Amino acid sequence: MDWLQVLVLSVIQGVTEFLPISSSAHLILPAQLLGWVDQGLAFDVAVHFGSLMAIVFYFRHDLRQLAQAFFASKLGRDYDAGDARLAHLVIYATLPAVAVGLVVNGYSDYLRSTLLIATTTIVFGILLAVADRKPGHAGLPALTLGQALIIGVMQCLALIPGTSRSGITMTAGLLLGLSREASARFSFLLSVPLIAAASLLKSIELVLADEPVALAMLLAGVGFSAVSAYACIRLFLQLIERIGFMPFVIYRLLLGGTLLWFVLQGA
């Protein structure tokens, strides 16, 4: 890797991890256009860790309140019922993706064809457009256990490259009657345990693979990914109720069409 590749891929990971536009699709384009080689497992671990740092820092107050309420509810202490309930919903909604991810881990390379990613980018973009036509108005306090589990099951589809984890969970939230802001917030909260679990799994794979690393580039990847992810989360939550999801739908369709063009060209 060179420093341009480090910068571009770190920013792409940081931004696309939380926007409903598919990080898998974006990581293909630079390689196609610039002829870059695969960045390697160590770099994947670094940029995912950067994204995790960003989401934890942005929601640090929320996460602290949820953790305090969750443990207080188990220890018989006074706690905020709403925070404890939301903490339980996040945990329950995370379990399906963790279970399925452990089962299919190691087989994901068979799904990383450009044609598949282009197709899922378009199909799930259209589904997001359908969900965004009549967004609900319910906030997170109205979310039920059944609805949280449905969102969690839908999150499993993100194991198919091109789907977008944030995109499918926000789509599910909208279809279940949540507001745009509530759908996005729950999707972001769900990302914390899932990215943490994925980072841990990739770290174990990295240790077992004994892959050589370039420490300076890895640290830069963490930093670039964290800064770009934090800025993305902040702007997205500020704007989503005003702009809706259609700009992201249009972008997904254009991106999927571009990838299909590469396929037709034999790239």
Side-chain angles (χ1 to χ4, degrees):
M1 296 176 65
D2 57 34
W3 284 102
L4 175 62
Q5 187 176 358
V6 170
L7 173 61
V8 172
L9 293 184
S10 299
V11 173
I12 285 176
Q13 167 62 32
V15 172
T16 60
E17 181 68 39
F18 300 108
L19 292 182
I21 53 177
S22 173
S23 59
S24 302
H26 285 79
L27 291 174
I28 285 180
L29 280 176
Q32 292 281 9
L33 295 174
L34 303 175
W36 286 342
V37 298
D38 184 84
Q39 63 270 21
L41 179 59
F43 191 76
D44 281 345
V45 173
V47 293
H48 275 84
F49 183 70
S51 299
L52 178 63
M53 289 176 58
I55 194 73
V56 169
F57 183 74
Y58 186 87
F59 286 102
R60 60 192 183 278
H61 300 302
D62 301 68
L63 293 173
R64 182 173 63 249
Q65 291 175 353
L66 293 180
Q68 289 175 345
F70 175 81
F71 288 112
S73 70
K74 301 303 180 184
L75 297 174
R77 300 174 182 171
D78 292 335
Y79 61 92
D80 184 290
D83 286 340
R85 180 176 176 277
L86 181 57
H88 282 87
L89 292 181
V90 169
I91 293 171
Y92 294 145
T94 301
L95 293 177
V98 172
V100 175
L102 289 174
V103 172
V104 304
N105 183 52
Y107 299 96
S108 58
D109 288 343
Y110 296 104
L111 300 174
R112 296 190 68 84
S113 74
T114 305
L115 177 59
L116 175 63
I117 293 175
T119 302
T120 52
T121 298
I122 293 171
V123 169
F124 287 104
I126 294 173
L127 183 60
L128 178 60
V130 173
D132 193 48
R133 289 187 61 188
K134 293 183 179 180
H137 302 285
L140 290 183
L143 186 66
T144 67
L145 174 59
Q147 290 173 330
L149 289 175
I150 290 173
I151 294 174
V153 171
M154 294 294 286
Q155 186 172 230
C156 297
L157 294 175
L159 295 168
I160 304 173
T163 301
S164 170
R165 189 211 61 82
S166 57
I168 194 62
T169 51
M170 292 178 196
T171 298
L174 291 172
L175 291 173
L176 291 170
L178 292 180
S179 67
R180 290 168 176 151
E181 193 274 340
S183 298
R185 186 169 289 272
F186 191 66
S187 173
F188 289 156
L189 290 174
L190 281 182
S191 72
V192 175
L194 200 63
I195 296 176
S199 297
L200 176 61
L201 185 61
K202 284 180 175 289
S203 296
I204 294 173
E205 292 176 359
L206 178 62
V207 171
L208 295 177
D210 195 26
E211 180 176 309
V213 298
L215 184 59
M217 286 188 171
L218 293 186
L219 292 176
V222 172
F224 291 142
S225 175
V227 171
S228 58
Y230 181 86
C232 169
I233 297 165
R234 186 181 183 89
L235 290 174
F236 184 81
L237 288 175
Q238 289 176 347
L239 296 175
I240 191 58
E241 285 291 357
R242 296 208 306 268
I243 66 175
F245 287 95
M246 283 309 298
F248 302 102
V249 171
I250 294 171
Y251 182 81
R252 286 184 69 121
L253 296 179
L254 293 174
L255 177 62
T258 301
L259 291 175
L260 285 178
W261 182 83
F262 276 116
V263 172
L264 293 175
Q265 295 301 308

